[in-house]
Amino acid sequence: MITTLALTDFRSYASATLPVGSGPVVLHGPNGAGKTNLLEAMSLFTPGRGLRSATAQEMGRREPGEAVGRAWAVALTLDGGDGEEIRLGTGTQAAGASRRIVRIDGETAQPGRFLDYLRPVWATPEQDRLFSDARADRLKFFDRLVFAADPDHAGVVSGYEKALRERLRLLTDGVEHGRAADPLWLDALEARLGETGARAVVARAGALGALQAGINDRGDRPFPQADLGLAGEAEQAALDGVGEDAIAAAIRDGMARSRGRDAASGRSLFGPHRSDLTALHREKRRPAAEGSSGEQKALVLNLILAQVTRLKAAGGAPPVLLLDEAPAHLDTRRRAALFDEIEALGLQAFMTGTEAVLFEELKGRARFVRVEGGALVEDA
């Protein structure tokens, strides 16, 4: 359980400490007060760039006239039980530094190790139109759900993307300089893409099945149910039970066939990076993309609640729910249902909103903290 969040020169905060207890925390205050900055800080305790996908340089606080952000730090203290205290930290060591360091109890570690202690899952206002926005955003959202339960997935996807960039650079350099790319190097890269791509799609297919089962198990709730799918040849093969080796070979061979097209277009037009998460609104029998912002948000929240339920049932590091502008686009009934489910699941949840009254149903069940001017003040 998180007991303290501490920030130093992070975003709008010169220094701030937020004591945390069990259960939900409501962060309320005017727009621009720094509420989302607190959620972003906690989202950094997972592989990747956090909920804003920002670089380390962008996170350091800057005073007027300062050209680069300051060195910054974010720290969490956890109660590990039996009096054990665990300290997690991340940040930079110098102003403008591009590399983010990770420490666990003072020892340098890899970001994936954070998932041994907690598993942040978040929803932001940008996801209120998730199913009608860019395909790449949906895939990134889904991959985060996958590696929250399967920490190795983050490294696999990272390895695939690195090989994809190297292959495309090799192809486009050949076009630019009027010479053929080294076929042996391309063979090696495409073999790596086949191996990592197959591992990624098998993990995605497994996660999709588990999340769909979780949605189905939730039954008739105030949040609409979705029938999920994955659009992509490799993912469909995995869903059909094709073996990982066969999928790897298909990706490798497809990459080889696509060399000329990719070189001419300057883009990688084949591969599991072009997959998509699809959803059908079960009750209305229409694609989620056709729904309103409120309907899409409700579908996303149902998916996230299925995810955190799955994580809790699996044991291990607990999920931590981060909901930015949680009440937006939700009617009173669905807001109350969301709060009830968070409490029933026993989650540590952090929610933001401009007005405390939007969380009226949580009075007496959550801590309310007003955020304004870089200060955090708990409501009486």
Side-chain angles (χ1 to χ4, degrees):
M1 185 180 72
I2 300 170
T3 57
T4 307
L5 167 68
L7 312 176
T8 303
D9 281 327
F10 179 81
R11 294 291 190 183
S12 56
Y13 294 93
S15 178
T17 300
L18 177 66
V20 180
S22 60
V25 176
V26 173
L27 303 164
H28 64 95
N31 290 326
K35 304 182 299 295
T36 305
N37 294 342
L38 295 168
L39 299 191
E40 181 184 26
M42 285 182 280
S43 76
L44 297 178
F45 292 91
T46 189
R49 292 183 171 184
L51 62 81
R52 282 193 175 115
S53 297
T55 64
Q57 297 101 314
E58 294 172 313
M59 298 179 196
R61 188 173 67 92
R62 287 193 296 170
E63 292 284 1
E66 291 182 336
V68 297
R70 299 182 178 190
W72 57 271
V74 176
L76 288 180
T77 304
L78 310 181
D79 179 359
D82 296 326
E84 180 188 12
E85 185 176 88
I86 302 165
R87 294 173 294 119
L88 309 181
T90 188
T92 58
Q93 292 182 309
S98 60
R99 182 173 176 271
R100 183 159 64 92
I101 59 172
V102 166
R103 290 203 172 101
I104 298 174
D105 285 332
E107 299 294 329
T108 301
Q110 294 298 314
R113 284 287 315 284
F114 283 146
L115 297 178
D116 293 340
Y117 301 94
L118 74 165
R119 303 198 178 193
V121 178
W122 61 81
T124 67
E126 288 74 24
Q127 292 161 2
D128 291 353
R129 302 287 300 177
L130 178 73
F131 295 107
S132 54
D133 283 345
R135 173 200 57 77
D137 292 338
R138 280 189 296 281
L139 187 60
K140 185 182 295 185
F141 167 83
F142 184 63
D143 274 336
R144 282 200 304 270
L145 296 183
V146 177
F147 72 62
D150 178 8
D152 291 341
H153 183 66
V156 171
V157 171
S158 177
Y160 174 87
E161 292 175 345
K162 180 181 178 183
L164 195 69
R165 290 191 298 271
E166 291 177 2
R167 173 183 176 273
L168 186 61
R169 184 166 56 248
L170 191 62
L171 290 171
T172 54
D173 283 352
V175 170
E176 183 179 345
H177 295 98
R179 61 171 181 265
D182 183 344
L184 293 179
W185 194 356
L186 285 172
D187 287 346
L189 288 171
E190 287 161 359
R192 194 188 316 164
L193 286 165
E195 177 187 351
T196 54
R199 288 181 62 191
V201 299
V202 168
R204 288 171 184 164
L208 187 87
L211 288 170
Q212 187 66 69
I215 290 171
N216 296 344
D217 289 346
R218 288 173 53 74
D220 185 18
R221 304 288 181 99
F223 296 100
Q225 292 180 305
D227 291 320
L228 304 176
L230 285 170
E233 293 180 21
E235 276 81 0
Q236 190 56 56
L239 290 169
D240 291 341
V242 176
E244 188 174 310
D245 289 345
I247 294 172
I251 293 171
R252 182 196 65 218
D253 294 345
M255 288 282 182
R257 290 192 300 271
S258 188
R259 288 177 186 178
R261 187 176 58 162
D262 292 353
S265 66
R267 293 185 299 151
S268 299
L269 298 172
F270 172 85
H273 60 285
R274 298 187 61 81
S275 302
D276 195 6
L277 172 68
T278 64
L280 186 73
H281 192 299
R282 184 177 297 173
E283 182 181 358
K284 296 187 175 182
R285 305 306 302 168
R286 67 178 187 181
E290 297 177 4
S292 66
S293 295
E295 284 181 324
Q296 291 194 44
K297 178 163 190 166
L299 287 165
V300 169
L301 284 173
N302 202 14
L303 178 56
I304 286 175
L305 288 169
Q307 167 78 337
V308 296
T309 302
R310 170 192 177 210
L311 293 176
K312 280 191 69 75
V320 176
L321 191 55
L322 311 174
L323 299 179
D324 197 17
E325 298 297 334
H329 303 302
L330 294 180
D331 57 31
T332 303
R333 180 175 68 97
R334 282 181 176 158
R335 280 205 307 268
L338 173 63
F339 302 152
D340 287 346
E341 294 219 30
I342 288 171
E343 185 178 37
L345 287 167
L347 294 175
Q348 279 198 297
F350 300 80
M351 295 172 279
T352 71
T354 53
E355 302 291 340
V357 70
L358 296 170
F359 301 88
E360 189 67 31
E361 295 90 344
L362 275 174
K363 287 289 187 181
R365 298 190 288 166
R367 294 181 61 226
F368 282 68
V369 178
R370 181 163 182 82
V371 182
E372 190 167 8
L376 309 178
V377 181
E378 187 166 0
D379 292 3

PDB file of all heavy atoms in Angstrom, residues 284-298:
ATOM      1  N   LYS A 284     -26.140  -2.362 -27.991  1.00  0.00           N
ATOM      2  CA  LYS A 284     -26.597  -1.639 -29.182  1.00  0.00           C
ATOM      3  C   LYS A 284     -26.152  -2.301 -30.482  1.00  0.00           C
ATOM      4  O   LYS A 284     -26.585  -1.891 -31.561  1.00  0.00           O
ATOM      5  CB  LYS A 284     -26.099  -0.190 -29.133  1.00  0.00           C
ATOM      6  CG  LYS A 284     -26.677   0.585 -27.961  1.00  0.00           C
ATOM      7  CD  LYS A 284     -26.314   2.058 -28.021  1.00  0.00           C
ATOM      8  CE  LYS A 284     -27.004   2.826 -26.900  1.00  0.00           C
ATOM      9  NZ  LYS A 284     -26.708   4.282 -26.962  1.00  0.00           N
ATOM     10  N   ARG A 285     -25.255  -3.304 -30.374  1.00  0.00           N
ATOM     11  CA  ARG A 285     -24.757  -4.016 -31.549  1.00  0.00           C
ATOM     12  C   ARG A 285     -24.204  -3.072 -32.603  1.00  0.00           C
ATOM     13  O   ARG A 285     -24.516  -3.152 -33.791  1.00  0.00           O
ATOM     14  CB  ARG A 285     -25.871  -4.895 -32.173  1.00  0.00           C
ATOM     15  CG  ARG A 285     -26.523  -5.868 -31.218  1.00  0.00           C
ATOM     16  CD  ARG A 285     -25.510  -6.742 -30.519  1.00  0.00           C
ATOM     17  NE  ARG A 285     -24.684  -7.521 -31.460  1.00  0.00           N
ATOM     18  CZ  ARG A 285     -23.593  -8.180 -31.105  1.00  0.00           C
ATOM     19  NH1 ARG A 285     -23.143  -8.111 -29.859  1.00  0.00           N
ATOM     20  NH2 ARG A 285     -22.914  -8.860 -32.000  1.00  0.00           N
ATOM     21  N   ARG A 286     -23.363  -2.163 -32.148  1.00  0.00           N
ATOM     22  CA  ARG A 286     -22.713  -1.260 -33.088  1.00  0.00           C
ATOM     23  C   ARG A 286     -21.301  -0.982 -32.598  1.00  0.00           C
ATOM     24  O   ARG A 286     -21.014  -1.112 -31.395  1.00  0.00           O
ATOM     25  CB  ARG A 286     -23.493   0.043 -33.246  1.00  0.00           C
ATOM     26  CG  ARG A 286     -23.514   0.911 -31.998  1.00  0.00           C
ATOM     27  CD  ARG A 286     -24.266   2.204 -32.237  1.00  0.00           C
ATOM     28  NE  ARG A 286     -24.134   3.097 -31.099  1.00  0.00           N
ATOM     29  CZ  ARG A 286     -24.720   4.295 -31.028  1.00  0.00           C
ATOM     30  NH1 ARG A 286     -25.458   4.712 -32.030  1.00  0.00           N
ATOM     31  NH2 ARG A 286     -24.548   5.051 -29.957  1.00  0.00           N
ATOM     32  N   PRO A 287     -20.389  -0.611 -33.521  1.00  0.00           N
ATOM     33  CA  PRO A 287     -19.008  -0.347 -33.101  1.00  0.00           C
ATOM     34  C   PRO A 287     -18.939   0.739 -32.042  1.00  0.00           C
ATOM     35  O   PRO A 287     -19.678   1.739 -32.100  1.00  0.00           O
ATOM     36  CB  PRO A 287     -18.331   0.098 -34.400  1.00  0.00           C
ATOM     37  CG  PRO A 287     -19.158  -0.497 -35.489  1.00  0.00           C
ATOM     38  CD  PRO A 287     -20.572  -0.471 -34.968  1.00  0.00           C
ATOM     39  N   ALA A 288     -18.034   0.551 -31.088  1.00  0.00           N
ATOM     40  CA  ALA A 288     -17.866   1.553 -30.025  1.00  0.00           C
ATOM     41  C   ALA A 288     -17.487   2.908 -30.589  1.00  0.00           C
ATOM     42  O   ALA A 288     -17.827   3.942 -30.007  1.00  0.00           O
ATOM     43  CB  ALA A 288     -16.808   1.071 -29.037  1.00  0.00           C
ATOM     44  N   ALA A 289     -16.794   2.917 -31.729  1.00  0.00           N
ATOM     45  CA  ALA A 289     -16.363   4.178 -32.335  1.00  0.00           C
ATOM     46  C   ALA A 289     -17.535   5.077 -32.690  1.00  0.00           C
ATOM     47  O   ALA A 289     -17.376   6.297 -32.809  1.00  0.00           O
ATOM     48  CB  ALA A 289     -15.536   3.902 -33.593  1.00  0.00           C
ATOM     49  N   GLU A 290     -18.727   4.502 -32.857  1.00  0.00           N
ATOM     50  CA  GLU A 290     -19.895   5.300 -33.217  1.00  0.00           C
ATOM     51  C   GLU A 290     -20.592   5.891 -32.002  1.00  0.00           C
ATOM     52  O   GLU A 290     -21.538   6.673 -32.146  1.00  0.00           O
ATOM     53  CB  GLU A 290     -20.884   4.438 -34.004  1.00  0.00           C
ATOM     54  CG  GLU A 290     -20.333   3.932 -35.335  1.00  0.00           C
ATOM     55  CD  GLU A 290     -21.298   3.018 -36.055  1.00  0.00           C
ATOM     56  OE1 GLU A 290     -22.432   2.837 -35.539  1.00  0.00           O
ATOM     57  OE2 GLU A 290     -20.936   2.483 -37.114  1.00  0.00           O
ATOM     58  N   GLY A 291     -20.156   5.532 -30.807  1.00  0.00           N
ATOM     59  CA  GLY A 291     -20.793   6.012 -29.597  1.00  0.00           C
ATOM     60  C   GLY A 291     -20.363   7.416 -29.218  1.00  0.00           C
ATOM     61  O   GLY A 291     -19.371   7.954 -29.713  1.00  0.00           O
ATOM     62  N   SER A 292     -21.102   8.020 -28.313  1.00  0.00           N
ATOM     63  CA  SER A 292     -20.764   9.344 -27.790  1.00  0.00           C
ATOM     64  C   SER A 292     -19.548   9.251 -26.883  1.00  0.00           C
ATOM     65  O   SER A 292     -19.095   8.159 -26.525  1.00  0.00           O
ATOM     66  CB  SER A 292     -21.940   9.907 -26.998  1.00  0.00           C
ATOM     67  OG  SER A 292     -22.147   9.120 -25.824  1.00  0.00           O
ATOM     68  N   SER A 293     -19.019  10.414 -26.489  1.00  0.00           N
ATOM     69  CA  SER A 293     -17.896  10.417 -25.541  1.00  0.00           C
ATOM     70  C   SER A 293     -18.279   9.718 -24.246  1.00  0.00           C
ATOM     71  O   SER A 293     -17.475   8.984 -23.659  1.00  0.00           O
ATOM     72  CB  SER A 293     -17.450  11.854 -25.259  1.00  0.00           C
ATOM     73  OG  SER A 293     -16.925  12.460 -26.409  1.00  0.00           O
ATOM     74  N   GLY A 294     -19.526   9.934 -23.785  1.00  0.00           N
ATOM     75  CA  GLY A 294     -19.971   9.302 -22.549  1.00  0.00           C
ATOM     76  C   GLY A 294     -20.027   7.789 -22.670  1.00  0.00           C
ATOM     77  O   GLY A 294     -19.621   7.067 -21.758  1.00  0.00           O
ATOM     78  N   GLU A 295     -20.540   7.304 -23.816  1.00  0.00           N
ATOM     79  CA  GLU A 295     -20.605   5.857 -24.020  1.00  0.00           C
ATOM     80  C   GLU A 295     -19.212   5.256 -24.120  1.00  0.00           C
ATOM     81  O   GLU A 295     -18.946   4.192 -23.551  1.00  0.00           O
ATOM     82  CB  GLU A 295     -21.392   5.552 -25.298  1.00  0.00           C
ATOM     83  CG  GLU A 295     -22.896   5.714 -25.159  1.00  0.00           C
ATOM     84  CD  GLU A 295     -23.620   5.372 -26.442  1.00  0.00           C
ATOM     85  OE1 GLU A 295     -23.090   5.655 -27.529  1.00  0.00           O
ATOM     86  OE2 GLU A 295     -24.728   4.813 -26.342  1.00  0.00           O
ATOM     87  N   GLN A 296     -18.330   5.924 -24.859  1.00  0.00           N
ATOM     88  CA  GLN A 296     -16.968   5.384 -24.997  1.00  0.00           C
ATOM     89  C   GLN A 296     -16.249   5.381 -23.657  1.00  0.00           C
ATOM     90  O   GLN A 296     -15.521   4.435 -23.335  1.00  0.00           O
ATOM     91  CB  GLN A 296     -16.185   6.198 -26.032  1.00  0.00           C
ATOM     92  CG  GLN A 296     -16.701   6.004 -27.448  1.00  0.00           C
ATOM     93  CD  GLN A 296     -15.746   6.534 -28.495  1.00  0.00           C
ATOM     94  OE1 GLN A 296     -14.546   6.322 -28.418  1.00  0.00           O
ATOM     95  NE2 GLN A 296     -16.276   7.237 -29.493  1.00  0.00           N
ATOM     96  N   LYS A 297     -16.445   6.446 -22.866  1.00  0.00           N
ATOM     97  CA  LYS A 297     -15.797   6.473 -21.549  1.00  0.00           C
ATOM     98  C   LYS A 297     -16.313   5.335 -20.672  1.00  0.00           C
ATOM     99  O   LYS A 297     -15.538   4.677 -19.971  1.00  0.00           O
ATOM    100  CB  LYS A 297     -16.030   7.811 -20.859  1.00  0.00           C
ATOM    101  CG  LYS A 297     -15.406   7.865 -19.462  1.00  0.00           C
ATOM    102  CD  LYS A 297     -15.282   9.267 -18.955  1.00  0.00           C
ATOM    103  CE  LYS A 297     -14.448   9.298 -17.686  1.00  0.00           C
ATOM    104  NZ  LYS A 297     -14.011  10.643 -17.322  1.00  0.00           N
ATOM    105  N   ALA A 298     -17.629   5.089 -20.710  1.00  0.00           N
ATOM    106  CA  ALA A 298     -18.203   4.019 -19.902  1.00  0.00           C
ATOM    107  C   ALA A 298     -17.657   2.657 -20.332  1.00  0.00           C
ATOM    108  O   ALA A 298     -17.380   1.788 -19.494  1.00  0.00           O
ATOM    109  CB  ALA A 298     -19.733   4.046 -20.011  1.00  0.00           C
TER     110      ALA A 298
END
